[in-house]
Amino acid sequence: MLLTHAPVAELTFSSLPQFFVNGVLNGAIYALIALGYTMVYGVLRLINFAHGEVYMLGAYAALLTSYALGYGPGQSGPGFPSILTLAIMLLVSMSFCALLGVLIERFAYRPMRSQPRIASLITAIGVSLLFQFGGQLVLPVSPPPSISERVNPDFLRTPVEITLKAPDRQMVATATSLKPAYEAAKQAWEEQKKHEANEFDLSPEGKTLRTSFQDAERAYQDAARKADASANKILIPKGKLVMFSTSIFLMIILWWLVTRTSAGRAMRAVSHDFNAASLMGISVDKTITFTFIIGSALAGAAAMMLATFQGTPLTTFYGVQPGVKAFVAAVLGGIGNIPGAVIGGLLMGVAEDLVIGMGYSQYKDAIALVILIGVLLLRPGGILGSSKVEKV
Amino acid sequence: MLEINGINVFYGAIQALTDVSIKVEQGEIVSIIGSNGAGKSTLLRTISGLQRPRSGAMSFLGTEIQDMAPNDIVRLGISHSPEGRRIFTNMSVLENLQLGAFTRKDNEIAQDMEAAMDRFPRLRERIKQNSGTLSGGEQQMLAIGRAIMSRPKLLLLDEPSLGLAPNLVAEIFRIVLDLNKDGTTVLLVEQNANRALEIAHRAYVLETGCIVLSDTGKNLLSDPKVKEAYLGG
Amino acid sequence: MFWISRLGSILGALLFCFLLDKVTGGLSDFSSRLVVLAGLYVTLSVSLNLINGITGQFSMGHAAFYQVGAYTAGYLSVTYFSKAHLPGFLWIVLMMIVAAIGAALAGLIVGLPSLRLKGDYLAIVTLGFGEIIRIVVQNQPSIGGAYGMNVQPKFPQLFASTGTHGVWLVWLLAILCIAVCRNLLKNVHGLPFLAVREDEIASSAMGVNVTGVKVTAFLIGSAFAGAAGALLAHYEGFLSPTMFTMELSFIVLTMVVLGGTGSITGSTLAAIVLFYLPEKLRDLPPVPVSFLVGAVIGAVGIVVFLKKTIDNYHGSSSQKTVRMILGTATGIVVAAALGFVLKVIPTIGHAAPVEAAKLRMVIFAVTLIFLMLLRPQGVFAHHEFSWSWVKKLLGKKDVPTTAVST
């Protein structure tokens, strides 16, 4: 798998940077999804419960696209480079999710605008459940399919290494000094093997040579491992780096859209005051549709990337956990606040990895809920929001 | 230019405007005065589309507008500076002005923005500041500046002098006169009856949802009934 | 007159419970299980309505109180029943009380901090608390963790000495819950709850102890859910965290919303209907996909038509109703027709038929959406069944006995 880390180490002072980096990389994805929650809340004051399911369906869209392009089970892939496939999958996921978001807004949320907000919340819950359980009836769920490994291009397989602290020189010297002996013993043993009938019935000579080889190998490998462990390195799987860069790129586009274009200003105006915005000539309906398009497309991008690079098996409940975490991220950063969602996402990523590092990985799903309740009770406005208790 | 015929507006079961008819001709300043709760703001909100009349007709430059959405009415050339200013405090002064020009696609917007800042020098000073940090008077100027950025044919002003210090009030009214001289028709709603009648070509008096008097500004200023009720005797 | 009708109601309730127990005894195991579970759902639904509908506090984590009650009773029974030498029946009543207290404590923990929050935020926090409780329980090996815990003793043994099947106890709890909430509503003591629902600021201005009211609602609601949990534990004989997921909270919520927030009658009936309907689905043959597609198209059409009629039709009320009924009927016919016609399309025609039981949660989801679109106040809104309503039906005049009429 492209994204396997080294086995989960303990959280120590020296391993802190690795955990932190993992957290930030994961957090960027949470941020993408969180942006969808926060923008919709900003314009509609609605918690879009169904956002997690839009994310889930985006992953399925990526899956089915990969099948169509020849990466299905038993197929051998198309003739063109996998980068192109990835690009197509990304575009399809984003467009599909955008369309889905628009449909949900138009048919489930728009009729609710004149009702009390609880009604919209209940509708959102209904839509979410509908996709989760209705999806089970039409999408492939058993066995849970996953996007084929082969989609990922080869150059992504090796991790990037960043050395924080070089390995202890003496240990490296020790290992290096043991290497010639090891190679010699190995060569001798290989030579001897050719003269032996089989490996289980060795001559006394053979046994000796094998033992010396194994001893030399053990000594060398122990020394090499010790030398390696004395270094402090951060390993970043290239796949994660690609995900992170794409996420940052998308966020930059979003920032540009929101702050520099007329449509973005319209969105900020609508989130502040519906009526005043329409007095500017802004079509509130169109602006809300635009918000859903952007938010859902970002979720689609996140879904495609995670599903492809992590290869997790997909079920219709694939979006529940990420949805909850991204929502908490949005609340943490200040719901309705766009930079807040990014900060919240990164913080959530780091918090989650720290919890795993501390050995409580079975509680990693609960950490999000604890953060949520903590924020809502102590500072409902979130980090970038107002500090006064917001009476809804 | 603007013709309102017998509109009735309700908030739920409560009638706010009863059979109201007014006219605004091109180039005029028309004032609507009345006490609190008389329905003046409701009238402006109905014209700009934020409120729908239950019955009656409204037309602007020949187009029927009583069923139109606010953002479409703006595109016809009406601009409304609402009660309480309602500027976008999550954005800067510049962005508020940019939003005022939202419906325009021509390339004279920058020019108009310069003109607006000439008219309201204090806005130029604070152009990049968050609009929530402006003082009351500055916010009112921003609201008016924002409203004229769309080069409206008809400007609706709701209580522009509300809560402002007397010298600022004078300035606001001077600006309204200026705008009118430059060609903008103004429909002004005010509690400050004196000032409103002074600058108006014509005016209406609104009492509990009904038009009770309609005349030129000058005549109403000297009308004894108006004097007693609204001008402090 | 008042006391006679009161006594009559109580005797009637007891009679109902015992009759139900006798009748259930003769049914198959599966059917009697349905009766027991239906009774538990009624308790859950009515107790949630007290918090959500009557007091207007949108709590979405009700499954947590159910779980706390169940595990409390289960753990105590496993550890102490053999040492205590009480008859089964008394033990279980004791367990119900203890479970109610435990769940009420949980209700306090959830309710108190959430007091400052309203609307969406309260909903999210209660949902979050519910999930946290579930995850914490899931990670406690001492009560079985994710694998679950066996609970002894089970109903049949407990009630062997009295010769009943324990069904009556479940429904007695349900009726007790209904009675408590009902009396709370009709009483002068119930007014503060409704007031808090309508307008908190105005209520506190009139001297209502808003905090006290909210906390009381949470306490009573969660206590009943906990008692129901105790019964669940001893009936099933097995508890596991998967029995108390968010889905359960949503199911109970759907029952409350369908019945009408604030209507006890509504919650009761909705609980029974929404519980039985999906169970009856199991008896249906698998549904061909073409009919599902037809149903979806038909449903969308019906909803759009009904919504347009509700919003825009300006005829008389009876004309409106007739129109809506005709529209729905047409929609159903069209859906069925589509079901036959669509079989022609190969992807649809060849697709495997769907087990009707899988449609259960889909039906809940669709119910929620349709309700919110068409009738957010629920079927019964805030109307209640009452003897005066019956009298009205029968044409008799009714003298109001209390100052409060619903």
Side-chain angles (χ1 to χ4, degrees):
Chain A
M1 280 291 100
L2 267 192
L3 296 188
T4 32
H5 308 255
V8 179
E10 253 186 56
L11 182 63
T12 61
F13 186 68
S14 56
S15 65
L16 193 63
Q18 175 78 51
F19 279 102
F20 186 73
V21 166
N22 288 349
V24 167
L25 292 177
N26 291 336
I29 298 292
Y30 289 145
L32 279 187
I33 311 174
L35 282 167
Y37 280 115
T38 227
M39 292 201 297
V40 166
Y41 190 85
V43 289
L44 275 186
R45 301 287 184 274
L46 166 73
I47 298 174
N48 184 6
F49 250 87
H51 195 57
E53 276 55 62
V54 168
Y55 167 83
M56 176 269 291
L57 289 170
Y60 267 102
L63 176 81
L64 295 174
T65 313
S66 75
Y67 283 1
L69 290 175
Y71 285 96
Q75 295 172 298
S76 59
F80 46 84
S82 49
I83 303 258
L84 192 56
T85 316
L86 290 177
I88 296 178
M89 283 166 66
L90 182 66
L91 278 171
V92 169
S93 278
M94 286 178 76
S95 324
F96 174 73
C97 287
L99 180 64
L100 190 60
V102 167
L103 289 176
I104 296 177
E105 191 274 320
R106 180 68 188 77
F107 291 109
Y109 297 157
R110 195 178 292 188
M112 293 285 112
R113 264 192 240 158
S114 48
Q115 309 269 19
R117 295 234 300 279
I118 293 299
S120 305
L121 191 64
I122 297 181
T123 312
I125 294 176
V127 173
S128 166
L129 292 175
L130 181 65
F131 284 139
Q132 284 175 15
F133 291 96
Q136 266 191 327
L137 303 175
V138 292
L139 292 170
V141 281
S142 130
S146 46
I147 298 184
S148 160
E149 250 273 311
R150 294 170 281 136
V151 178
N152 301 303
D154 284 323
F155 70 83
L156 289 183
R157 287 175 204 283
T158 49
V160 167
E161 268 186 32
I162 303 178
T163 312
L164 291 180
K165 189 183 87 159
D168 183 295
R169 270 196 234 143
Q170 208 166 36
M171 293 192 194
V172 173
T174 318
T176 325
S177 68
L178 289 174
K179 194 162 180 190
Y182 160 63
E183 308 224 293
K186 181 171 180 183
Q187 198 167 36
W189 165 237
E190 294 294 324
E191 279 295 315
Q192 181 62 23
K193 263 209 284 198
K194 295 179 192 158
H195 301 306
E196 300 284 336
N198 68 48
E199 276 206 43
F200 299 101
D201 202 18
L202 297 167
S203 62
E205 243 181 276
K207 282 194 194 144
T208 335
L209 280 176
R210 185 178 66 180
T211 322
S212 5
F213 161 63
Q214 285 172 339
D215 287 339
E217 183 182 56
R218 201 178 308 126
Y220 170 65
Q221 285 182 343
D222 279 348
R225 211 175 295 131
K226 252 172 101 176
D228 216 34
S230 69
N232 201 353
K233 286 190 275 203
I234 303 181
L235 276 95
I236 304 179
K238 287 213 184 95
K240 274 216 177 150
L241 214 50
V242 169
M243 285 201 317
F244 185 73
S245 344
T246 315
S247 309
I248 298 290
F249 176 67
L250 287 172
M251 288 193 240
I252 292 179
I253 295 188
L254 176 73
W255 175 83
W256 173 79
L257 267 176
V258 167
T259 50
R260 295 263 184 274
T261 63
S262 177
R265 269 194 295 275
M267 200 170 83
R268 283 183 294 151
V270 168
S271 68
H272 189 261
D273 189 334
F274 261 38
N275 281 342
S278 51
L279 287 182
M280 301 290 107
I282 297 173
S283 161
V284 171
D285 283 345
K286 284 205 196 122
T287 308
I288 293 182
T289 303
F290 178 71
T291 311
F292 269 84
I293 289 179
I294 309 262
S296 309
L298 289 177
M304 176 265 165
M305 291 196 286
L306 266 186
T308 311
F309 293 123
Q310 237 170 11
T312 352
L314 301 182
T315 69
T316 51
F317 301 100
Y318 180 71
V320 175
Q321 275 307 324
V324 168
K325 290 179 194 161
F327 172 66
V328 175
V331 171
L332 178 62
I335 190 137
N337 187 312
I338 290 179
V342 176
I343 293 180
L346 295 174
L347 282 175
M348 278 296 299
V350 173
E352 194 177 70
D353 267 279
L354 288 180
V355 163
I356 294 179
M358 292 197 281
Y360 293 110
S361 53
Q362 69 268 38
Y363 285 108
K364 79 168 156 72
D365 297 334
I367 187 80
L369 295 166
V370 169
I371 294 179
L372 175 69
I373 295 186
V375 170
L376 285 180
L377 293 183
L378 299 172
R379 196 184 156 104
I383 294 178
L384 293 186
S386 60
S387 52
K388 58 176 162 64
V389 174
E390 190 184 319
K391 283 228 161 190
V392 161
Chain B
M1 193 185 225
L2 174 73
E3 227 183 277
I4 314 283
N5 264 316
I7 56 168
N8 290 287
V9 178
F10 288 78
Y11 285 123
I14 303 175
Q15 183 151 13
L17 293 178
T18 313
D19 203 32
V20 166
S21 303
I22 66 170
K23 266 209 204 31
V24 179
E25 306 290 353
Q26 181 132 19
E28 285 189 307
I29 298 182
V30 174
S31 288
I32 306 201
I33 62 168
S35 52
N36 244 332
K40 310 190 296 296
S41 288
T42 309
L43 180 57
L44 287 189
R45 289 165 51 94
T46 313
I47 297 174
S48 66
L50 292 177
Q51 191 70 32
R52 289 271 163 86
R54 201 178 275 191
S55 60
M58 306 193 292
S59 76
F60 177 67
L61 292 177
T63 319
E64 296 242 327
I65 60 170
Q66 69 268 9
D67 288 320
M68 280 176 101
N71 51 305
D72 293 324
I73 293 182
V74 168
R75 282 169 206 274
L76 285 181
I78 299 182
S79 189
H80 182 184
S81 171
E83 185 184 15
R85 288 151 218 157
R86 310 269 232 145
I87 58 175
F88 300 109
T89 53
N90 58 334
M91 297 195 256
S92 70
V93 170
L94 175 66
E95 288 171 317
N96 270 275
L97 290 174
Q98 284 173 322
L99 275 170
F102 186 78
T103 50
R104 290 173 54 181
K105 304 231 190 296
D106 57 272
N107 41 17
E108 290 178 4
I109 299 180
Q111 201 178 314
D112 281 3
M113 214 169 283
E114 281 299 311
M117 290 197 275
D118 285 337
R119 213 188 279 276
F120 305 110
R122 250 176 292 183
L123 290 185
R124 188 190 292 273
E125 285 167 37
R126 309 204 192 290
I127 192 73
K128 291 274 182 175
Q129 255 179 267
N130 178 290
S131 58
T133 59
L134 295 172
S135 72
E138 288 161 351
Q139 287 192 353
Q140 183 60 62
M141 307 216 194
L142 178 57
I144 298 180
R146 185 181 65 173
I148 60 175
M149 281 302 295
S150 59
R151 282 205 187 154
K153 304 190 182 84
L154 172 63
L155 179 61
L156 308 177
L157 285 177
D158 197 331
E159 308 230 21
S161 72
L162 192 63
L164 296 185
N167 58 328
L168 278 174
V169 171
E171 201 173 325
I172 294 284
F173 278 98
R174 185 187 54 78
I175 290 171
V176 174
L177 271 172
D178 256 351
L179 286 170
N180 180 249
K181 260 187 235 142
D182 290 340
T184 314
T185 313
V186 178
L187 178 57
L188 175 68
V189 148
E190 256 301 337
Q191 264 201 61
N192 186 336
N194 244 312
R195 296 269 190 180
L197 292 176
E198 267 169 30
I199 67 168
H201 293 104
R202 288 187 303 114
Y204 295 87
V205 178
L206 196 60
E207 244 170 56
T208 51
C210 307
I211 302 279
V212 296
L213 281 176
S214 142
D215 209 329
T216 66
K218 243 203 251 180
N219 288 353
L220 285 179
L221 262 178
S222 41
D223 184 317
K225 278 185 286 179
V226 173
K227 268 198 175 152
E228 196 185 315
Y230 302 102
L231 301 175
Chain C
M1 189 56 217
F2 172 70
W3 284 112
I4 294 180
S5 71
R6 269 309 164 97
L7 206 58
S9 302
I10 296 178
L11 283 178
L14 287 172
L15 194 62
F16 170 76
C17 290
F18 278 103
L19 275 178
L20 191 62
D21 193 274
K22 282 281 167 268
V23 167
T24 318
L27 295 174
S28 68
D29 269 345
F30 180 70
S31 299
S32 62
R33 180 159 189 273
L34 289 188
V35 175
V36 168
L37 287 179
L40 291 176
Y41 273 108
V42 169
T43 309
L44 286 177
S45 173
V46 175
S47 59
L48 181 61
N49 203 354
L50 178 62
I51 305 175
N52 282 18
I54 295 173
T55 321
Q57 300 307 298
F58 204 71
S59 164
M60 286 213 300
H62 215 55
F65 306 135
Y66 195 36
Q67 181 173 24
V68 167
Y71 270 88
T72 311
Y75 181 71
L76 289 175
S77 284
V78 167
T79 326
Y80 296 117
F81 178 61
S82 40
K83 298 183 197 142
H85 293 288
L86 290 172
F89 161 55
L90 274 187
W91 177 257
I92 211 184
V93 171
L94 180 64
M95 283 298 101
M96 279 170 66
I97 296 177
V98 172
I101 296 177
L105 255 159
L108 197 64
I109 296 176
V110 173
L112 265 183
S114 326
L115 288 177
R116 297 187 297 167
L117 304 169
K118 278 192 287 200
D120 305 6
Y121 286 155
L122 179 63
I124 298 296
V125 166
T126 50
L127 192 62
F129 265 125
E131 278 295 282
I132 289 181
I133 290 178
R134 184 182 64 83
I135 294 178
V136 166
V137 168
Q138 194 169 349
N139 284 301
Q140 301 301 317
S142 53
I143 45 178
Y147 299 109
M149 172 172 82
N150 283 307
V151 174
Q152 289 292 337
K154 289 182 66 164
F155 260 30
Q157 300 152 356
L158 281 176
F159 290 96
S161 46
T162 47
T164 70
H165 309 273
V167 171
W168 64 272
L169 188 55
V170 172
W171 278 90
L172 194 59
L173 178 66
I175 292 183
L176 182 64
C177 185
I178 294 176
V180 165
C181 294
R182 175 58 184 255
N183 283 322
L184 205 56
L185 251 195
K186 284 216 109 185
N187 220 306
V188 119
H189 294 305
L191 280 177
F193 289 86
L194 296 171
V196 164
R197 174 180 75 189
E198 295 306 322
D199 191 331
E200 268 181 53
I201 299 177
S203 314
S204 71
M206 304 227 205
V208 170
N209 180 357
V210 174
T211 308
V213 163
K214 288 185 187 177
V215 171
T216 312
F218 264 101
L219 285 179
I220 300 181
S222 54
F224 273 109
L231 290 177
L232 177 78
H234 292 91
Y235 181 74
E236 296 277 26
F238 176 75
L239 291 178
S240 123
T242 53
M243 291 159 70
F244 302 101
T245 56
M246 261 199 305
E247 265 133 51
L248 182 61
S249 289
F250 288 147
I251 290 175
V252 180
L253 180 69
T254 313
M255 293 171 174
V256 168
V257 165
L258 174 63
T261 48
S263 166
I264 297 173
T265 322
S267 308
T268 315
L269 292 176
I272 298 175
V273 166
L274 276 182
F275 174 70
Y276 266 118
L277 220 57
E279 296 293 331
K280 282 300 161 211
L281 280 180
R282 289 183 211 257
D283 299 334
L284 287 180
V287 181
V289 173
S290 61
F291 277 97
L292 275 184
V293 175
V296 165
I297 298 178
V300 170
I302 291 179
V303 168
V304 169
F305 173 74
L306 286 179
K307 181 122 183 88
K308 278 223 157 81
T309 317
I310 291 179
D311 287 341
N312 298 332
Y313 190 68
H314 296 303
S316 75
S317 162
S318 46
Q319 271 183 325
K320 204 174 187 176
T321 322
V322 166
R323 212 176 141 91
M324 295 205 298
I325 294 179
L326 280 179
T328 316
T330 321
I332 296 179
V333 167
V334 168
L338 277 174
F340 283 109
V341 165
L342 286 173
K343 278 204 212 164
V344 185
I345 306 179
T347 29
I348 298 184
H350 293 315
V354 172
E355 293 285 327
K358 279 205 199 160
L359 291 172
R360 182 170 173 249
M361 281 308 288
V362 176
I363 290 182
F364 278 105
V366 165
T367 308
L368 277 180
I369 300 177
F370 282 7
L371 268 178
M372 287 298 113
L373 284 176
L374 298 174
R375 196 178 161 87
Q377 65 270 42
V379 171
F380 280 84
H382 6 263
H383 301 308
E384 295 283 4
F385 172 82
S386 65
W387 294 119
S388 48
W389 178 79
V390 175
K391 280 191 203 152
K392 246 191 276 183
L393 264 188
L394 299 175
K396 290 202 196 145
K397 272 184 87 157
D398 175 47
V399 178
T401 49
T402 56
V404 180
S405 54
T406 39

